[in-house]
Amino acid sequence: MPETLALAEKSAELQQLVKRVANARRVVVVTGAGISVNSGIPDFRSASGVFRQIQAAHGHVVGKGRDLFDASVVFRSGAAAAVFYEWMTQLRRQCAAARPGAAHAFIRQLADRGVLQRSYTQNIDGLERKAGLRVWDPYQKPGSAGHVPWQQAHSVPLHGTMDHLTCQLCASAVPFAALPGGAAAGDACAECLQRSQAREACGRRALATGKLRPAVVLYEELHPHGEDIARIISHDARSRADVVLVFGTTLKVPGCRQLVRRLAAAPRTTTVVVNNEPVCGRAWDGVVDYQVVGCVDEWCARVQRAWNAQSKITQWATKRTRGAPAAKENAPEPTSRKRRVSDSDSDPEPTSRKRRAPDNNSSLEPARRSARIATRGGPADYQQRQPLSICT
């Protein structure tokens, strides 16, 4: 079982872990809904999460709240689909009004420091873009204003975003309007209607028209961009991050579990899970090194304080180095050095530099040195982890 550390306790081991993360040069972050709760967006699995809210309000339509996000269930009946469109429209408005939290600012700071290798998020709220991160968006065509090549992207959304609507029939994408008047979830696809009307104008039969739905990945459906995401993950896994940080997720989604295992498989990689409650059992032995129980925002604040301490030490050392030559030139010569040794002095050597008497046991020094080296020991062996296949 991974070692569990309580963030509320100021243990020496926790401090060492914070310093290790602060000194890392390549960091990968995997985030879940827990980092957006303080931004006003509810999570899904908690006692007050979206699943419980849906079950309480629409238990007569869906058996449980999770079914509303299950592609094999929600689109089988018109009533369930209508509830789905209603909730996604409400969630879209919440995402548009939300602002990035402390965890998003922390990830942005990692990018500014040049140590963020990638941030993978299960969230669909789009707060990473609001925090100033470059987000990979497969619906942005190359050459458009919002297009970011995956090689230059800071953040990769694993389950899509609420920024776009896609047609369930022709897969065309349009912006998801946060305010009334634009395209909304459940509307008829404009491109399907245009093609159908063109056929009818020619005297031919009308075509089926699809409905628009948010461009998010539901349970029990294939990811439309799964191959692209798998390619990015493979590239990042070969780069071997120093630290993998997992924030605000219960690690229940199979694709996210595979992602963490793949990234943590690299030798010398330290994997840290930070969550309000313990989520890693014995199944994570050899994968997760530490699980920190506590608020993600507080963890980020501790690492930031470690960065600030490093900056102060660097500034102090820089000032000391710059001021040292001038101080040395202007400093008066010590009086002990002004005295010149006269010819009448019997012992010209200063008393502080007396020659040390020869050691009769000098022949034992090599043996003692060998004994010290033997008791000190070599570097600890790092466990080799076999990489696992990834299924997104």
Side-chain angles (χ1 to χ4, degrees):
M1 185 172 178
E3 185 168 358
T4 302
L5 302 175
L7 191 58
E9 300 177 1
K10 297 181 179 180
S11 62
E13 190 169 5
L14 181 62
Q15 290 297 108
Q16 291 297 325
L17 181 60
V18 169
K19 290 181 180 179
R20 185 184 305 180
V21 174
N23 293 330
R25 296 189 177 184
R26 292 188 303 274
V27 180
V28 176
V29 185
V30 181
T31 60
I35 71 168
S36 297
V37 172
N38 291 339
S39 298
I41 299 176
D43 62 0
F44 286 83
R45 300 179 184 275
S46 67
S48 59
V50 174
F51 289 165
R52 294 290 182 89
Q53 296 178 22
I54 292 173
Q55 189 170 3
H58 304 283
H60 61 286
V61 178
V62 292
K64 50 186 178 180
R66 182 184 182 279
D67 292 343
L68 200 65
F69 299 90
D70 191 328
S72 63
V73 177
V74 66
F75 297 120
R76 287 185 177 180
S77 69
V83 174
F84 171 75
Y85 296 139
E86 176 187 347
W87 273 86
M88 296 306 284
T89 301
Q90 178 182 345
L91 186 59
R92 172 63 178 135
R93 292 171 182 168
Q94 290 178 335
C95 294
R99 292 293 176 262
H104 302 94
F106 173 79
I107 299 173
R108 168 63 188 272
Q109 195 168 0
L110 286 172
D112 293 341
R113 293 173 66 90
V115 299
L116 180 65
Q117 185 174 337
R118 198 84 65 188
S119 171
Y120 293 93
T121 180
Q122 301 176 84
N123 300 336
I124 59 176
D125 47 39
L127 293 181
E128 289 77 16
R129 180 177 284 108
K130 290 184 179 181
L133 296 172
R134 295 193 298 267
V135 179
W136 176 73
D137 187 350
Y139 293 101
Q140 294 289 350
K141 298 180 180 180
S144 62
H147 175 69
V148 177
W150 68 266
Q151 296 90 341
Q152 303 175 11
H154 295 139
S155 179
V156 174
L158 297 172
H159 301 154
T161 66
M162 298 287 284
D163 294 335
H164 304 283
L165 295 168
T166 58
C167 176
Q168 301 180 46
L169 187 61
C170 70
S172 61
V174 296
F176 191 172
L179 299 176
D187 289 352
C189 173
E191 292 193 14
C192 289
L193 283 174
Q194 186 178 1
R195 283 193 295 267
S196 179
Q197 292 170 359
R199 284 176 59 89
E200 288 181 315
C202 297
R204 305 174 67 179
R205 64 178 179 86
L207 294 175
T209 302
K211 288 188 175 182
L212 299 177
R213 51 159 285 188
V216 298
V217 182
L218 304 178
Y219 295 108
E220 304 301 330
E221 73 174 347
L222 295 176
H223 199 306
H225 307 285
E227 293 183 0
D228 297 329
I229 293 178
R231 189 179 302 111
I232 299 173
I233 293 173
S234 298
H235 173 272
D236 292 344
R238 289 192 301 268
S239 300
R240 298 184 178 183
D242 299 329
V243 172
V244 176
L245 297 175
V246 184
F247 289 160
T249 176
T250 58
L251 296 174
K252 294 291 182 65
V253 179
C256 183
R257 290 202 301 266
Q258 289 283 352
L259 169 63
V260 173
R261 290 181 180 275
R262 182 71 180 275
L263 296 172
R268 304 178 185 272
T269 296
T270 301
T271 304
V272 183
V273 175
V274 184
N275 201 53
N276 281 330
E277 56 186 16
V279 296
C280 298
R282 295 188 180 278
W284 292 97
D285 282 347
V287 180
V288 175
D289 299 295
Y290 300 92
Q291 63 172 341
V292 179
V293 180
C295 178
V296 175
D297 293 352
E298 174 59 27
W299 164 268
C300 295
R302 290 202 182 186
V303 177
Q304 288 170 335
R305 286 196 291 268
W307 284 337
N308 294 336
Q310 291 176 355
S311 300
K312 291 180 180 178
I313 292 174
T314 303
Q315 293 174 1
W316 176 83
T318 303
K319 291 181 180 179
R320 182 181 177 88
T321 303
R322 291 177 178 176
K328 187 174 180 181
E329 292 176 1
N330 299 329
E333 186 178 0
T335 56
S336 60
R337 293 186 180 181
K338 290 183 179 181
R339 177 180 177 273
R340 297 184 59 183
V341 180
S342 61
D343 296 338
S344 60
D345 291 336
S346 58
D347 187 7
E349 184 178 1
T351 57
S352 61
R353 297 186 181 181
K354 286 184 179 179
R355 293 186 179 90
R356 185 177 179 180
D359 189 358
N360 295 330
N361 296 327
S362 59
S363 60
L364 298 179
E365 288 301 319
R368 292 175 180 170
R369 189 179 302 110
S370 301
R372 287 197 300 268
I373 294 175
T375 56
R376 187 181 306 159
D381 294 334
Y382 288 86
Q383 182 180 7
Q384 300 290 331
R385 306 188 181 101
Q386 296 297 328
L388 302 177
S389 59
I390 184 71
C391 259
T392 306

